[in-house]
Amino acid sequence: MWGGRFADGPSAIMREINASIPFDKRLWRQDIAGSRLSNGIEALISRMIALGPSAKRPPHIVLESDMRRPILLSTLLLASTGACHKEAPPAPQAQPEAAAPQGDARNADTASKGKALPSTEIKDATGKTVKLSDLKGKPLLVNLWATWCVPCVKELPTLDKLAGQGGNLQVVAISEDMEGARVVTPFLAKRGLKTLKPYLDTTNALLLGLKEPGLPVTILYDASGKEVWRMRGDLDWTSAKAKALIAQAG
């Protein structure tokens, strides 16, 4: 087919391509006249030249058929103009962890009711290690949150007010920020949240142990350390709905 022309190099093949395309179809290519073929096309043509006349090529490289000529012409043309350029898909970017649905939009989940308070170790703002299970003895409202979580931050002021009401309920807000007290302590201070005592789960051991996919998550335990319900998403913890939910701890 083009065996005799291969010796003339890539330019001869491109002239063959242009000759096979109607004039009006070639006009749009004038703006790229003189541009070099991509390395991939040059390598292909160089390989075909090196292989010599088609009669001497192995059967799988023979392109003699007239049916294959238009296909090869089209492939070379499209590749040279970038129209069929296919890049590898970009590496997936790390996505922020999705927040849980808003609590007001769903009921409290009682699927884990009766489960014991985890003995997971957490730390207070001073770095002292505390076992979560050691806090039982009173009804306990455990809230998992993070400074980067919008719905978490939204409900923090109402949790702070709830903690300031005193009474028989303990409110324990546990940050899942991996930077720990360095970011959590000033974050709470900046927002004037003085009642909540920050606890830290910098390894996310508690979140993973509870098998929760997102934040915020709030879990109510009764005085004996048994789970009553868990709420995924933010809630106004000073609302009538929250009061009724908390009353279930007895």
Side-chain angles (χ1 to χ4, degrees):
M1 164 179 148
W2 287 344
R5 297 186 179 90
F6 282 153
D8 295 331
S11 297
I13 294 181
M14 291 310 299
R15 287 196 298 272
E16 176 74 9
I17 291 173
N18 283 330
S20 68
I21 303 173
F23 178 76
D24 59 336
K25 299 289 186 180
R26 298 200 307 267
L27 290 178
W28 62 274
R29 299 188 64 248
Q30 291 179 359
D31 61 325
I32 61 168
S35 65
R36 299 182 61 191
L37 290 171
S38 68
N39 291 336
I41 298 302
E42 288 183 342
L44 172 63
I45 295 173
S46 297
R47 175 170 170 76
M48 296 173 73
I49 293 172
L51 289 171
S54 59
K56 296 182 180 180
R57 296 178 209 146
H60 65 283
I61 304 180
V62 173
L63 299 175
E64 291 276 319
S65 171
D66 289 339
M67 292 179 63
R68 297 185 184 184
R69 178 173 181 175
I71 296 174
L72 180 59
L73 286 172
S74 299
T75 301
L76 290 173
L77 176 60
L78 290 172
S80 67
T81 61
C84 284
H85 185 54
K86 183 177 181 181
E87 298 179 343
Q93 297 181 2
Q95 301 297 323
E97 190 171 3
Q102 289 201 358
D104 287 331
R106 59 185 299 172
N107 295 324
D109 185 355
T110 58
S112 299
K113 185 174 183 178
K115 283 190 175 181
L117 187 64
S119 58
T120 308
E121 291 185 346
I122 55 177
K123 293 183 178 181
D124 63 16
T126 66
K128 179 182 177 181
T129 300
V130 179
K131 280 189 176 181
L132 188 59
S133 56
D134 291 342
L135 300 179
K136 67 181 179 181
K138 293 182 178 180
L140 183 67
L141 191 69
V142 176
N143 176 266
L144 276 62
W145 69 286
T147 58
W148 45 261
C149 168
V150 174
C152 299
V153 176
K154 177 184 175 183
E155 70 176 357
L156 277 178
T158 65
L159 278 169
D160 191 62
K161 290 180 180 178
L162 179 63
Q165 291 177 3
N168 198 40
L169 179 70
Q170 300 180 82
V171 179
V172 179
I174 304 173
S175 166
E176 296 296 318
D177 288 273
M178 299 180 73
E179 297 89 347
R182 184 177 67 84
V183 297
V184 174
T185 301
F187 183 88
L188 294 176
K190 182 178 179 180
R191 286 159 178 76
L193 306 176
K194 301 178 180 179
T195 308
L196 286 175
K197 295 179 180 180
Y199 286 91
L200 312 168
D201 178 28
T202 56
T203 63
N204 301 146
L206 181 58
L207 181 66
L208 294 173
L210 292 170
K211 299 180 180 179
E212 287 295 332
L215 297 172
V217 178
T218 306
I219 307 175
L220 179 68
Y221 295 93
D222 62 21
S224 65
K226 302 296 183 182
E227 182 171 332
V228 180
W229 49 253
R230 61 181 66 186
M231 176 74 71
R232 301 176 182 91
D234 65 279
L235 184 67
D236 180 352
W237 293 102
T238 62
S239 67
K241 176 178 179 177
K243 184 177 180 179
L245 287 169
I246 292 170
Q248 294 180 29

